[in-house]
Amino acid sequence: KHPTTGQCLVAYSEHGRLTTTRWHGYMTDFAYMEQVEMKQITKDVALTRVGITMTCGRFSYAEIPKQFFDVILGVTGTLSSMSKFEKKVVESEYNVKKNTLTPSIYRVKDYQLFKPEADTLLEFGRMNQWQKLSVLIGKAVEAERCVLVFFDTNDDIHEFASTDYGKDIEAKLRPHIVTEEAHNKERHIQLATKRGAVTYFPRVFGRGLDFKCMDKTVEKNGGVLVIQAFYSTSKSEETQIQGRTARQGKSGSYKLLLCAEKLAAKFRMSLDELKKAAGSSSLYSSLSRAREA
């Protein structure tokens, strides 16, 4: 029963809380129908919650510029980090052959946001990665900062949240989970930069969102901490995720927290190679070479 309206709704348990906004396709629709038959939910309420999904058509944003525009102009913060393949696509598919790099209008930072070898953290075993993630989150919140964690997929978010480490974070810090299906995403993004806030995102949110930190306490204590819990196959994506912190000349930091087994499977590297690279402080450069290969 909804605490405000008094209406009975179908709810799902999610990380220790009940949510009535989660929708599992027709399973949720049929759950409402069943509850109407059992007279637990009124028909009027059910009709506001169920529906038939109909695909009316699909289109690709990547194809639109080719067909409807004679001139393409663009601004990006990742021009210098584009891979050879990405540059080739831009030139051959979109005929963009001229580009200019301009300096930022914001002050030059008096520190390095990301120190590749020092801020790339490698853990052997998924549970060790999740343990390290919980430690990084806890230390940042203790320092009165806020944390944005970017995962590879929604499943990875739920995997971490279901571990003892994720449950401990849930009990103590009440993190927000923002996925493509989440309601009121703008509100979650505003709250994400408040002191003590912890927010989980899938990788798709690492581009284009403006996380404005107006909390002076967070800024004083080092700004927004961004943790990327997977390795991007594209340098430009990594740069975009880094750019969710230290925006507009403000403070911030970025950590790349990786699982050795996931890297080995994705880039065909042996665990011994990864261990050797990590021991010789050349892990990030070794991963960069594998990414560009």
mmCIF file with all atom_site columns, all heavy atoms in Angstrom, residues 2 5 7-10 20-23 28-29 32-33 36 41-52 183:
data_model
loop_
_atom_site.group_PDB
_atom_site.id
_atom_site.type_symbol
_atom_site.label_atom_id
_atom_site.label_alt_id
_atom_site.label_comp_id
_atom_site.label_asym_id
_atom_site.label_entity_id
_atom_site.label_seq_id
_atom_site.pdbx_PDB_ins_code
_atom_site.Cartn_x
_atom_site.Cartn_y
_atom_site.Cartn_z
_atom_site.occupancy
_atom_site.B_iso_or_equiv
_atom_site.pdbx_formal_charge
_atom_site.auth_seq_id
_atom_site.auth_comp_id
_atom_site.auth_asym_id
_atom_site.auth_atom_id
_atom_site.pdbx_PDB_model_num
ATOM 1   N N   . HIS A 1 2   ? 0.569   2.174  -0.923  1.00 0.00 ? 2   HIS A N   1
ATOM 2   C CA  . HIS A 1 2   ? 1.369   3.397  -1.033  1.00 0.00 ? 2   HIS A CA  1
ATOM 3   C C   . HIS A 1 2   ? 1.154   4.257  0.211   1.00 0.00 ? 2   HIS A C   1
ATOM 4   O O   . HIS A 1 2   ? -0.003  4.509  0.603   1.00 0.00 ? 2   HIS A O   1
ATOM 5   C CB  . HIS A 1 2   ? 0.967   4.174  -2.290  1.00 0.00 ? 2   HIS A CB  1
ATOM 6   C CG  . HIS A 1 2   ? 1.952   5.224  -2.680  1.00 0.00 ? 2   HIS A CG  1
ATOM 7   N ND1 . HIS A 1 2   ? 2.009   6.449  -2.061  1.00 0.00 ? 2   HIS A ND1 1
ATOM 8   C CD2 . HIS A 1 2   ? 2.943   5.227  -3.618  1.00 0.00 ? 2   HIS A CD2 1
ATOM 9   C CE1 . HIS A 1 2   ? 2.965   7.177  -2.618  1.00 0.00 ? 2   HIS A CE1 1
ATOM 10  N NE2 . HIS A 1 2   ? 3.549   6.461  -3.552  1.00 0.00 ? 2   HIS A NE2 1
ATOM 11  N N   . THR A 1 5   ? -0.815  7.853  -0.998  1.00 0.00 ? 5   THR A N   1
ATOM 12  C CA  . THR A 1 5   ? -2.128  7.784  -1.637  1.00 0.00 ? 5   THR A CA  1
ATOM 13  C C   . THR A 1 5   ? -3.021  6.704  -1.060  1.00 0.00 ? 5   THR A C   1
ATOM 14  O O   . THR A 1 5   ? -4.239  6.746  -1.231  1.00 0.00 ? 5   THR A O   1
ATOM 15  C CB  . THR A 1 5   ? -1.964  7.515  -3.144  1.00 0.00 ? 5   THR A CB  1
ATOM 16  O OG1 . THR A 1 5   ? -1.348  6.215  -3.326  1.00 0.00 ? 5   THR A OG1 1
ATOM 17  C CG2 . THR A 1 5   ? -1.070  8.578  -3.790  1.00 0.00 ? 5   THR A CG2 1
ATOM 18  N N   . GLN A 1 7   ? -3.112  3.758  -2.131  1.00 0.00 ? 7   GLN A N   1
ATOM 19  C CA  . GLN A 1 7   ? -3.416  2.791  -3.173  1.00 0.00 ? 7   GLN A CA  1
ATOM 20  C C   . GLN A 1 7   ? -2.554  1.536  -3.012  1.00 0.00 ? 7   GLN A C   1
ATOM 21  O O   . GLN A 1 7   ? -1.410  1.611  -2.586  1.00 0.00 ? 7   GLN A O   1
ATOM 22  C CB  . GLN A 1 7   ? -3.144  3.396  -4.554  1.00 0.00 ? 7   GLN A CB  1
ATOM 23  C CG  . GLN A 1 7   ? -4.059  4.545  -4.936  1.00 0.00 ? 7   GLN A CG  1
ATOM 24  C CD  . GLN A 1 7   ? -3.656  5.141  -6.279  1.00 0.00 ? 7   GLN A CD  1
ATOM 25  O OE1 . GLN A 1 7   ? -2.515  5.033  -6.706  1.00 0.00 ? 7   GLN A OE1 1
ATOM 26  N NE2 . GLN A 1 7   ? -4.610  5.774  -6.941  1.00 0.00 ? 7   GLN A NE2 1
ATOM 27  N N   . CYS A 1 8   ? -3.111  0.391  -3.387  1.00 0.00 ? 8   CYS A N   1
ATOM 28  C CA  . CYS A 1 8   ? -2.333  -0.850 -3.421  1.00 0.00 ? 8   CYS A CA  1
ATOM 29  C C   . CYS A 1 8   ? -1.701  -0.979 -4.801  1.00 0.00 ? 8   CYS A C   1
ATOM 30  O O   . CYS A 1 8   ? -2.381  -0.826 -5.819  1.00 0.00 ? 8   CYS A O   1
ATOM 31  C CB  . CYS A 1 8   ? -3.234  -2.049 -3.139  1.00 0.00 ? 8   CYS A CB  1
ATOM 32  S SG  . CYS A 1 8   ? -3.754  -2.158 -1.412  1.00 0.00 ? 8   CYS A SG  1
ATOM 33  N N   . LEU A 1 9   ? -0.404  -1.234 -4.839  1.00 0.00 ? 9   LEU A N   1
ATOM 34  C CA  . LEU A 1 9   ? 0.336   -1.336 -6.084  1.00 0.00 ? 9   LEU A CA  1
ATOM 35  C C   . LEU A 1 9   ? 1.216   -2.571 -6.062  1.00 0.00 ? 9   LEU A C   1
ATOM 36  O O   . LEU A 1 9   ? 1.566   -3.080 -4.998  1.00 0.00 ? 9   LEU A O   1
ATOM 37  C CB  . LEU A 1 9   ? 1.218   -0.090 -6.295  1.00 0.00 ? 9   LEU A CB  1
ATOM 38  C CG  . LEU A 1 9   ? 0.518   1.274  -6.306  1.00 0.00 ? 9   LEU A CG  1
ATOM 39  C CD1 . LEU A 1 9   ? 1.550   2.392  -6.286  1.00 0.00 ? 9   LEU A CD1 1
ATOM 40  C CD2 . LEU A 1 9   ? -0.381  1.400  -7.528  1.00 0.00 ? 9   LEU A CD2 1
ATOM 41  N N   . VAL A 1 10  ? 1.602   -3.043 -7.230  1.00 0.00 ? 10  VAL A N   1
ATOM 42  C CA  . VAL A 1 10  ? 2.574   -4.134 -7.329  1.00 0.00 ? 10  VAL A CA  1
ATOM 43  C C   . VAL A 1 10  ? 3.958   -3.559 -7.055  1.00 0.00 ? 10  VAL A C   1
ATOM 44  O O   . VAL A 1 10  ? 4.347   -2.553 -7.661  1.00 0.00 ? 10  VAL A O   1
ATOM 45  C CB  . VAL A 1 10  ? 2.538   -4.796 -8.720  1.00 0.00 ? 10  VAL A CB  1
ATOM 46  C CG1 . VAL A 1 10  ? 3.685   -5.794 -8.873  1.00 0.00 ? 10  VAL A CG1 1
ATOM 47  C CG2 . VAL A 1 10  ? 1.202   -5.496 -8.931  1.00 0.00 ? 10  VAL A CG2 1
ATOM 48  N N   . THR A 1 20  ? 7.809   0.588  -6.551  1.00 0.00 ? 20  THR A N   1
ATOM 49  C CA  . THR A 1 20  ? 6.600   0.390  -7.356  1.00 0.00 ? 20  THR A CA  1
ATOM 50  C C   . THR A 1 20  ? 6.801   0.924  -8.775  1.00 0.00 ? 20  THR A C   1
ATOM 51  O O   . THR A 1 20  ? 5.870   0.905  -9.582  1.00 0.00 ? 20  THR A O   1
ATOM 52  C CB  . THR A 1 20  ? 5.401   1.115  -6.710  1.00 0.00 ? 20  THR A CB  1
ATOM 53  O OG1 . THR A 1 20  ? 5.704   2.520  -6.586  1.00 0.00 ? 20  THR A OG1 1
ATOM 54  C CG2 . THR A 1 20  ? 5.097   0.546  -5.333  1.00 0.00 ? 20  THR A CG2 1
ATOM 55  N N   . THR A 1 21  ? 8.005   1.427  -9.068  1.00 0.00 ? 21  THR A N   1
ATOM 56  C CA  . THR A 1 21  ? 8.264   1.986  -10.400 1.00 0.00 ? 21  THR A CA  1
ATOM 57  C C   . THR A 1 21  ? 8.983   1.009  -11.316 1.00 0.00 ? 21  THR A C   1
ATOM 58  O O   . THR A 1 21  ? 9.131   1.270  -12.498 1.00 0.00 ? 21  THR A O   1
ATOM 59  C CB  . THR A 1 21  ? 9.113   3.270  -10.284 1.00 0.00 ? 21  THR A CB  1
ATOM 60  O OG1 . THR A 1 21  ? 10.354  2.963  -9.624  1.00 0.00 ? 21  THR A OG1 1
ATOM 61  C CG2 . THR A 1 21  ? 8.380   4.334  -9.498  1.00 0.00 ? 21  THR A CG2 1
ATOM 62  N N   . ARG A 1 22  ? 9.455   -0.100 -10.787 1.00 0.00 ? 22  ARG A N   1
ATOM 63  C CA  . ARG A 1 22  ? 10.108  -1.118 -11.608 1.00 0.00 ? 22  ARG A CA  1
ATOM 64  C C   . ARG A 1 22  ? 9.067   -1.852 -12.451 1.00 0.00 ? 22  ARG A C   1
ATOM 65  O O   . ARG A 1 22  ? 8.002   -2.221 -11.954 1.00 0.00 ? 22  ARG A O   1
ATOM 66  C CB  . ARG A 1 22  ? 10.855  -2.098 -10.716 1.00 0.00 ? 22  ARG A CB  1
ATOM 67  C CG  . ARG A 1 22  ? 11.491  -3.271 -11.432 1.00 0.00 ? 22  ARG A CG  1
ATOM 68  C CD  . ARG A 1 22  ? 12.619  -2.861 -12.324 1.00 0.00 ? 22  ARG A CD  1
ATOM 69  N NE  . ARG A 1 22  ? 13.727  -2.296 -11.573 1.00 0.00 ? 22  ARG A NE  1
ATOM 70  C CZ  . ARG A 1 22  ? 14.777  -1.745 -12.147 1.00 0.00 ? 22  ARG A CZ  1
ATOM 71  N NH1 . ARG A 1 22  ? 14.832  -1.648 -13.459 1.00 0.00 ? 22  ARG A NH1 1
ATOM 72  N NH2 . ARG A 1 22  ? 15.765  -1.261 -11.420 1.00 0.00 ? 22  ARG A NH2 1
ATOM 73  N N   . TRP A 1 23  ? 9.358   -2.033 -13.728 1.00 0.00 ? 23  TRP A N   1
ATOM 74  C CA  . TRP A 1 23  ? 8.418   -2.695 -14.633 1.00 0.00 ? 23  TRP A CA  1
ATOM 75  C C   . TRP A 1 23  ? 9.137   -3.835 -15.325 1.00 0.00 ? 23  TRP A C   1
ATOM 76  O O   . TRP A 1 23  ? 10.185  -3.635 -15.938 1.00 0.00 ? 23  TRP A O   1
ATOM 77  C CB  . TRP A 1 23  ? 7.873   -1.703 -15.653 1.00 0.00 ? 23  TRP A CB  1
ATOM 78  C CG  . TRP A 1 23  ? 6.805   -2.255 -16.552 1.00 0.00 ? 23  TRP A CG  1
ATOM 79  C CD1 . TRP A 1 23  ? 5.564   -2.674 -16.190 1.00 0.00 ? 23  TRP A CD1 1
ATOM 80  C CD2 . TRP A 1 23  ? 6.878   -2.446 -17.973 1.00 0.00 ? 23  TRP A CD2 1
ATOM 81  N NE1 . TRP A 1 23  ? 4.848   -3.101 -17.282 1.00 0.00 ? 23  TRP A NE1 1
ATOM 82  C CE2 . TRP A 1 23  ? 5.638   -2.977 -18.398 1.00 0.00 ? 23  TRP A CE2 1
ATOM 83  C CE3 . TRP A 1 23  ? 7.864   -2.209 -18.921 1.00 0.00 ? 23  TRP A CE3 1
ATOM 84  C CZ2 . TRP A 1 23  ? 5.363   -3.282 -19.721 1.00 0.00 ? 23  TRP A CZ2 1
ATOM 85  C CZ3 . TRP A 1 23  ? 7.601   -2.518 -20.246 1.00 0.00 ? 23  TRP A CZ3 1
ATOM 86  C CH2 . TRP A 1 23  ? 6.358   -3.047 -20.638 1.00 0.00 ? 23  TRP A CH2 1
ATOM 87  N N   . THR A 1 28  ? 4.689   -7.828 -15.128 1.00 0.00 ? 28  THR A N   1
ATOM 88  C CA  . THR A 1 28  ? 4.069   -6.838 -14.247 1.00 0.00 ? 28  THR A CA  1
ATOM 89  C C   . THR A 1 28  ? 2.605   -6.621 -14.630 1.00 0.00 ? 28  THR A C   1
ATOM 90  O O   . THR A 1 28  ? 1.731   -6.503 -13.767 1.00 0.00 ? 28  THR A O   1
ATOM 91  C CB  . THR A 1 28  ? 4.835   -5.506 -14.311 1.00 0.00 ? 28  THR A CB  1
ATOM 92  O OG1 . THR A 1 28  ? 6.209   -5.732 -13.967 1.00 0.00 ? 28  THR A OG1 1
ATOM 93  C CG2 . THR A 1 28  ? 4.243   -4.483 -13.345 1.00 0.00 ? 28  THR A CG2 1
ATOM 94  N N   . ASP A 1 29  ? 2.333   -6.587 -15.936 1.00 0.00 ? 29  ASP A N   1
ATOM 95  C CA  . ASP A 1 29  ? 0.948   -6.423 -16.391 1.00 0.00 ? 29  ASP A CA  1
ATOM 96  C C   . ASP A 1 29  ? 0.057   -7.534 -15.842 1.00 0.00 ? 29  ASP A C   1
ATOM 97  O O   . ASP A 1 29  ? -1.030  -7.280 -15.310 1.00 0.00 ? 29  ASP A O   1
ATOM 98  C CB  . ASP A 1 29  ? 0.888   -6.435 -17.928 1.00 0.00 ? 29  ASP A CB  1
ATOM 99  C CG  . ASP A 1 29  ? 1.489   -5.170 -18.527 1.00 0.00 ? 29  ASP A CG  1
ATOM 100 O OD1 . ASP A 1 29  ? 1.681   -4.206 -17.769 1.00 0.00 ? 29  ASP A OD1 1
ATOM 101 O OD2 . ASP A 1 29  ? 1.756   -5.155 -19.732 1.00 0.00 ? 29  ASP A OD2 1
ATOM 102 N N   . TYR A 1 32  ? -0.689  -7.289 -12.141 1.00 0.00 ? 32  TYR A N   1
ATOM 103 C CA  . TYR A 1 32  ? -1.783  -6.359 -11.842 1.00 0.00 ? 32  TYR A CA  1
ATOM 104 C C   . TYR A 1 32  ? -3.143  -6.998 -12.139 1.00 0.00 ? 32  TYR A C   1
ATOM 105 O O   . TYR A 1 32  ? -4.094  -6.838 -11.367 1.00 0.00 ? 32  TYR A O   1
ATOM 106 C CB  . TYR A 1 32  ? -1.610  -5.064 -12.637 1.00 0.00 ? 32  TYR A CB  1
ATOM 107 C CG  . TYR A 1 32  ? -0.792  -4.025 -11.907 1.00 0.00 ? 32  TYR A CG  1
ATOM 108 C CD1 . TYR A 1 32  ? 0.533   -3.804 -12.226 1.00 0.00 ? 32  TYR A CD1 1
ATOM 109 C CD2 . TYR A 1 32  ? -1.355  -3.276 -10.872 1.00 0.00 ? 32  TYR A CD2 1
ATOM 110 C CE1 . TYR A 1 32  ? 1.294   -2.864 -11.544 1.00 0.00 ? 32  TYR A CE1 1
ATOM 111 C CE2 . TYR A 1 32  ? -0.621  -2.328 -10.190 1.00 0.00 ? 32  TYR A CE2 1
ATOM 112 C CZ  . TYR A 1 32  ? 0.705   -2.128 -10.519 1.00 0.00 ? 32  TYR A CZ  1
ATOM 113 O OH  . TYR A 1 32  ? 1.454   -1.192 -9.829  1.00 0.00 ? 32  TYR A OH  1
ATOM 114 N N   . MET A 1 33  ? -3.236  -7.717 -13.253 1.00 0.00 ? 33  MET A N   1
ATOM 115 C CA  . MET A 1 33  ? -4.501  -8.369 -13.590 1.00 0.00 ? 33  MET A CA  1
ATOM 116 C C   . MET A 1 33  ? -4.904  -9.376 -12.517 1.00 0.00 ? 33  MET A C   1
ATOM 117 O O   . MET A 1 33  ? -6.084  -9.464 -12.122 1.00 0.00 ? 33  MET A O   1
ATOM 118 C CB  . MET A 1 33  ? -4.368  -9.085 -14.943 1.00 0.00 ? 33  MET A CB  1
ATOM 119 C CG  . MET A 1 33  ? -4.204  -8.152 -16.128 1.00 0.00 ? 33  MET A CG  1
ATOM 120 S SD  . MET A 1 33  ? -3.998  -9.070 -17.682 1.00 0.00 ? 33  MET A SD  1
ATOM 121 C CE  . MET A 1 33  ? -3.587  -7.713 -18.796 1.00 0.00 ? 33  MET A CE  1
ATOM 122 N N   . VAL A 1 36  ? -6.195  -7.571 -9.500  1.00 0.00 ? 36  VAL A N   1
ATOM 123 C CA  . VAL A 1 36  ? -7.539  -7.042 -9.730  1.00 0.00 ? 36  VAL A CA  1
ATOM 124 C C   . VAL A 1 36  ? -8.566  -8.151 -9.520  1.00 0.00 ? 36  VAL A C   1
ATOM 125 O O   . VAL A 1 36  ? -9.611  -7.943 -8.876  1.00 0.00 ? 36  VAL A O   1
ATOM 126 C CB  . VAL A 1 36  ? -7.657  -6.457 -11.159 1.00 0.00 ? 36  VAL A CB  1
ATOM 127 C CG1 . VAL A 1 36  ? -9.131  -6.161 -11.490 1.00 0.00 ? 36  VAL A CG1 1
ATOM 128 C CG2 . VAL A 1 36  ? -6.834  -5.182 -11.277 1.00 0.00 ? 36  VAL A CG2 1
ATOM 129 N N   . ILE A 1 41  ? -6.358  -4.861 -5.805  1.00 0.00 ? 41  ILE A N   1
ATOM 130 C CA  . ILE A 1 41  ? -6.090  -3.606 -6.501  1.00 0.00 ? 41  ILE A CA  1
ATOM 131 C C   . ILE A 1 41  ? -7.318  -3.272 -7.342  1.00 0.00 ? 41  ILE A C   1
ATOM 132 O O   . ILE A 1 41  ? -7.911  -4.155 -7.978  1.00 0.00 ? 41  ILE A O   1
ATOM 133 C CB  . ILE A 1 41  ? -4.843  -3.737 -7.408  1.00 0.00 ? 41  ILE A CB  1
ATOM 134 C CG1 . ILE A 1 41  ? -3.582  -3.949 -6.560  1.00 0.00 ? 41  ILE A CG1 1
ATOM 135 C CG2 . ILE A 1 41  ? -4.665  -2.510 -8.291  1.00 0.00 ? 41  ILE A CG2 1
ATOM 136 C CD1 . ILE A 1 41  ? -2.315  -4.143 -7.361  1.00 0.00 ? 41  ILE A CD1 1
ATOM 137 N N   . THR A 1 42  ? -7.700  -1.998 -7.362  1.00 0.00 ? 42  THR A N   1
ATOM 138 C CA  . THR A 1 42  ? -8.868  -1.599 -8.139  1.00 0.00 ? 42  THR A CA  1
ATOM 139 C C   . THR A 1 42  ? -8.530  -1.568 -9.624  1.00 0.00 ? 42  THR A C   1
ATOM 140 O O   . THR A 1 42  ? -7.375  -1.377 -10.020 1.00 0.00 ? 42  THR A O   1
ATOM 141 C CB  . THR A 1 42  ? -9.372  -0.210 -7.715  1.00 0.00 ? 42  THR A CB  1
ATOM 142 O OG1 . THR A 1 42  ? -8.370  0.770  -8.044  1.00 0.00 ? 42  THR A OG1 1
ATOM 143 C CG2 . THR A 1 42  ? -9.644  -0.161 -6.219  1.00 0.00 ? 42  THR A CG2 1
ATOM 144 N N   . LYS A 1 43  ? -9.554  -1.730 -10.439 1.00 0.00 ? 43  LYS A N   1
ATOM 145 C CA  . LYS A 1 43  ? -9.359  -1.725 -11.885 1.00 0.00 ? 43  LYS A CA  1
ATOM 146 C C   . LYS A 1 43  ? -8.838  -0.376 -12.366 1.00 0.00 ? 43  LYS A C   1
ATOM 147 O O   . LYS A 1 43  ? -7.988  -0.307 -13.260 1.00 0.00 ? 43  LYS A O   1
ATOM 148 C CB  . LYS A 1 43  ? -10.680 -2.057 -12.577 1.00 0.00 ? 43  LYS A CB  1
ATOM 149 C CG  . LYS A 1 43  ? -10.562 -2.188 -14.088 1.00 0.00 ? 43  LYS A CG  1
ATOM 150 C CD  . LYS A 1 43  ? -11.897 -2.586 -14.696 1.00 0.00 ? 43  LYS A CD  1
ATOM 151 C CE  . LYS A 1 43  ? -11.788 -2.705 -16.214 1.00 0.00 ? 43  LYS A CE  1
ATOM 152 N NZ  . LYS A 1 43  ? -13.085 -3.091 -16.822 1.00 0.00 ? 43  LYS A NZ  1
ATOM 153 N N   . ASP A 1 44  ? -9.334  0.714  -11.778 1.00 0.00 ? 44  ASP A N   1
ATOM 154 C CA  . ASP A 1 44  ? -8.899  2.055  -12.187 1.00 0.00 ? 44  ASP A CA  1
ATOM 155 C C   . ASP A 1 44  ? -7.399  2.243  -11.963 1.00 0.00 ? 44  ASP A C   1
ATOM 156 O O   . ASP A 1 44  ? -6.689  2.824  -12.805 1.00 0.00 ? 44  ASP A O   1
ATOM 157 C CB  . ASP A 1 44  ? -9.681  3.124  -11.428 1.00 0.00 ? 44  ASP A CB  1
ATOM 158 C CG  . ASP A 1 44  ? -11.135 3.204  -11.880 1.00 0.00 ? 44  ASP A CG  1
ATOM 159 O OD1 . ASP A 1 44  ? -11.429 2.708  -12.989 1.00 0.00 ? 44  ASP A OD1 1
ATOM 160 O OD2 . ASP A 1 44  ? -11.955 3.749  -11.120 1.00 0.00 ? 44  ASP A OD2 1
ATOM 161 N N   . VAL A 1 45  ? -6.912  1.766  -10.820 1.00 0.00 ? 45  VAL A N   1
ATOM 162 C CA  . VAL A 1 45  ? -5.478  1.882  -10.534 1.00 0.00 ? 45  VAL A CA  1
ATOM 163 C C   . VAL A 1 45  ? -4.677  1.023  -11.505 1.00 0.00 ? 45  VAL A C   1
ATOM 164 O O   . VAL A 1 45  ? -3.655  1.453  -12.048 1.00 0.00 ? 45  VAL A O   1
ATOM 165 C CB  . VAL A 1 45  ? -5.182  1.471  -9.079  1.00 0.00 ? 45  VAL A CB  1
ATOM 166 C CG1 . VAL A 1 45  ? -3.665  1.341  -8.859  1.00 0.00 ? 45  VAL A CG1 1
ATOM 167 C CG2 . VAL A 1 45  ? -5.769  2.494  -8.115  1.00 0.00 ? 45  VAL A CG2 1
ATOM 168 N N   . ALA A 1 46  ? -5.144  -0.194 -11.752 1.00 0.00 ? 46  ALA A N   1
ATOM 169 C CA  . ALA A 1 46  ? -4.422  -1.107 -12.643 1.00 0.00 ? 46  ALA A CA  1
ATOM 170 C C   . ALA A 1 46  ? -4.295  -0.538 -14.047 1.00 0.00 ? 46  ALA A C   1
ATOM 171 O O   . ALA A 1 46  ? -3.251  -0.668 -14.699 1.00 0.00 ? 46  ALA A O   1
ATOM 172 C CB  . ALA A 1 46  ? -5.123  -2.461 -12.679 1.00 0.00 ? 46  ALA A CB  1
ATOM 173 N N   . LEU A 1 47  ? -5.344  0.132  -14.522 1.00 0.00 ? 47  LEU A N   1
ATOM 174 C CA  . LEU A 1 47  ? -5.329  0.683  -15.880 1.00 0.00 ? 47  LEU A CA  1
ATOM 175 C C   . LEU A 1 47  ? -4.288  1.788  -16.049 1.00 0.00 ? 47  LEU A C   1
ATOM 176 O O   . LEU A 1 47  ? -3.853  2.080  -17.167 1.00 0.00 ? 47  LEU A O   1
ATOM 177 C CB  . LEU A 1 47  ? -6.711  1.204  -16.253 1.00 0.00 ? 47  LEU A CB  1
ATOM 178 C CG  . LEU A 1 47  ? -7.771  0.128  -16.534 1.00 0.00 ? 47  LEU A CG  1
ATOM 179 C CD1 . LEU A 1 47  ? -9.135  0.768  -16.749 1.00 0.00 ? 47  LEU A CD1 1
ATOM 180 C CD2 . LEU A 1 47  ? -7.376  -0.722 -17.738 1.00 0.00 ? 47  LEU A CD2 1
ATOM 181 N N   . THR A 1 48  ? -3.894  2.423  -14.947 1.00 0.00 ? 48  THR A N   1
ATOM 182 C CA  . THR A 1 48  ? -2.851  3.464  -15.038 1.00 0.00 ? 48  THR A CA  1
ATOM 183 C C   . THR A 1 48  ? -1.453  2.859  -15.024 1.00 0.00 ? 48  THR A C   1
ATOM 184 O O   . THR A 1 48  ? -0.470  3.570  -15.217 1.00 0.00 ? 48  THR A O   1
ATOM 185 C CB  . THR A 1 48  ? -2.966  4.452  -13.865 1.00 0.00 ? 48  THR A CB  1
ATOM 186 O OG1 . THR A 1 48  ? -2.665  3.774  -12.631 1.00 0.00 ? 48  THR A OG1 1
ATOM 187 C CG2 . THR A 1 48  ? -4.341  5.071  -13.785 1.00 0.00 ? 48  THR A CG2 1
ATOM 188 N N   . ARG A 1 49  ? -1.366  1.525  -14.813 1.00 0.00 ? 49  ARG A N   1
ATOM 189 C CA  . ARG A 1 49  ? -0.062  0.889  -14.653 1.00 0.00 ? 49  ARG A CA  1
ATOM 190 C C   . ARG A 1 49  ? 0.266   -0.147 -15.722 1.00 0.00 ? 49  ARG A C   1
ATOM 191 O O   . ARG A 1 49  ? 1.402   -0.607 -15.794 1.00 0.00 ? 49  ARG A O   1
ATOM 192 C CB  . ARG A 1 49  ? -0.010  0.194  -13.280 1.00 0.00 ? 49  ARG A CB  1
ATOM 193 C CG  . ARG A 1 49  ? -0.093  1.158  -12.105 1.00 0.00 ? 49  ARG A CG  1
ATOM 194 C CD  . ARG A 1 49  ? 1.238   1.791  -11.846 1.00 0.00 ? 49  ARG A CD  1
ATOM 195 N NE  . ARG A 1 49  ? 1.182   2.809  -10.818 1.00 0.00 ? 49  ARG A NE  1
ATOM 196 C CZ  . ARG A 1 49  ? 2.248   3.229  -10.144 1.00 0.00 ? 49  ARG A CZ  1
ATOM 197 N NH1 . ARG A 1 49  ? 3.427   2.694  -10.386 1.00 0.00 ? 49  ARG A NH1 1
ATOM 198 N NH2 . ARG A 1 49  ? 2.138   4.186  -9.249  1.00 0.00 ? 49  ARG A NH2 1
ATOM 199 N N   . VAL A 1 50  ? -0.710  -0.567 -16.513 1.00 0.00 ? 50  VAL A N   1
ATOM 200 C CA  . VAL A 1 50  ? -0.464  -1.622 -17.497 1.00 0.00 ? 50  VAL A CA  1
ATOM 201 C C   . VAL A 1 50  ? -0.596  -1.063 -18.909 1.00 0.00 ? 50  VAL A C   1
ATOM 202 O O   . VAL A 1 50  ? -1.153  0.017  -19.131 1.00 0.00 ? 50  VAL A O   1
ATOM 203 C CB  . VAL A 1 50  ? -1.436  -2.807 -17.309 1.00 0.00 ? 50  VAL A CB  1
ATOM 204 C CG1 . VAL A 1 50  ? -1.312  -3.385 -15.923 1.00 0.00 ? 50  VAL A CG1 1
ATOM 205 C CG2 . VAL A 1 50  ? -2.885  -2.374 -17.587 1.00 0.00 ? 50  VAL A CG2 1
ATOM 206 N N   . GLY A 1 51  ? -0.072  -1.809 -19.852 1.00 0.00 ? 51  GLY A N   1
ATOM 207 C CA  . GLY A 1 51  ? -0.175  -1.389 -21.241 1.00 0.00 ? 51  GLY A CA  1
ATOM 208 C C   . GLY A 1 51  ? 0.453   -2.415 -22.158 1.00 0.00 ? 51  GLY A C   1
ATOM 209 O O   . GLY A 1 51  ? 1.073   -3.379 -21.703 1.00 0.00 ? 51  GLY A O   1
ATOM 210 N N   . ILE A 1 52  ? 0.266   -2.212 -23.445 1.00 0.00 ? 52  ILE A N   1
ATOM 211 C CA  . ILE A 1 52  ? 0.848   -3.089 -24.455 1.00 0.00 ? 52  ILE A CA  1
ATOM 212 C C   . ILE A 1 52  ? 1.979   -2.344 -25.145 1.00 0.00 ? 52  ILE A C   1
ATOM 213 O O   . ILE A 1 52  ? 1.794   -1.226 -25.649 1.00 0.00 ? 52  ILE A O   1
ATOM 214 C CB  . ILE A 1 52  ? -0.210  -3.525 -25.485 1.00 0.00 ? 52  ILE A CB  1
ATOM 215 C CG1 . ILE A 1 52  ? -1.327  -4.319 -24.789 1.00 0.00 ? 52  ILE A CG1 1
ATOM 216 C CG2 . ILE A 1 52  ? 0.430   -4.365 -26.595 1.00 0.00 ? 52  ILE A CG2 1
ATOM 217 C CD1 . ILE A 1 52  ? -2.472  -4.678 -25.715 1.00 0.00 ? 52  ILE A CD1 1
ATOM 218 N N   . HIS A 1 183 ? 13.120  6.378  -13.072 1.00 0.00 ? 183 HIS A N   1
ATOM 219 C CA  . HIS A 1 183 ? 12.287  7.573  -13.156 1.00 0.00 ? 183 HIS A CA  1
ATOM 220 C C   . HIS A 1 183 ? 13.017  8.755  -12.509 1.00 0.00 ? 183 HIS A C   1
ATOM 221 O O   . HIS A 1 183 ? 13.843  8.586  -11.625 1.00 0.00 ? 183 HIS A O   1
ATOM 222 C CB  . HIS A 1 183 ? 10.948  7.341  -12.444 1.00 0.00 ? 183 HIS A CB  1
ATOM 223 C CG  . HIS A 1 183 ? 10.081  6.340  -13.133 1.00 0.00 ? 183 HIS A CG  1
ATOM 224 N ND1 . HIS A 1 183 ? 9.157   6.680  -14.096 1.00 0.00 ? 183 HIS A ND1 1
ATOM 225 C CD2 . HIS A 1 183 ? 10.015  4.989  -13.019 1.00 0.00 ? 183 HIS A CD2 1
ATOM 226 C CE1 . HIS A 1 183 ? 8.545   5.592  -14.527 1.00 0.00 ? 183 HIS A CE1 1
ATOM 227 N NE2 . HIS A 1 183 ? 9.049   4.558  -13.885 1.00 0.00 ? 183 HIS A NE2 1
#
